[in-house]
Amino acid sequence: VGSVDPNDLSVVSVLVEALQHKDAKVRKLAAEVLLTVQPRDEAVLEALQVTARDMDAAVRKAAEAALTKFKKK
């Protein structure tokens, strides 16, 4: 994944939508990208909180890592 501007709402909104994708690999990748982008948006945090309860363990782990990093900032 290349560089993503955390202020680019169109990119961030696509990533948030991807957190609900039917494919667990897509959900996991979206959470990992949000971890690196670190947008400052309450909707993103809420979406990651929901994703942290995903059925797939790898998706949960990626969402939890993103949430932990956001809380440290």
Side-chain angles (χ1 to χ4, degrees), residues 3-66:
S3 175
V4 177
D5 179 1
N7 297 314
D8 186 342
L9 297 180
S10 62
V11 173
V12 172
S13 67
V14 168
L15 291 169
V16 169
E17 287 180 30
L19 291 173
Q20 299 175 12
H21 196 276
K22 66 181 180 177
D23 187 334
K25 291 177 185 178
V26 173
R27 295 191 307 271
K28 179 180 178 279
L29 181 59
E32 290 172 345
V33 173
L34 285 168
L35 170 67
T36 63
V37 175
Q38 297 184 32
R40 296 287 181 208
D41 187 296
E42 194 64 32
V44 174
L45 294 176
E46 290 173 14
L48 284 168
Q49 289 169 340
V50 169
T51 306
R53 296 187 300 270
D54 195 275
M55 295 183 332
D56 186 276
V59 174
R60 285 194 309 269
K61 184 177 178 180
E64 290 166 358

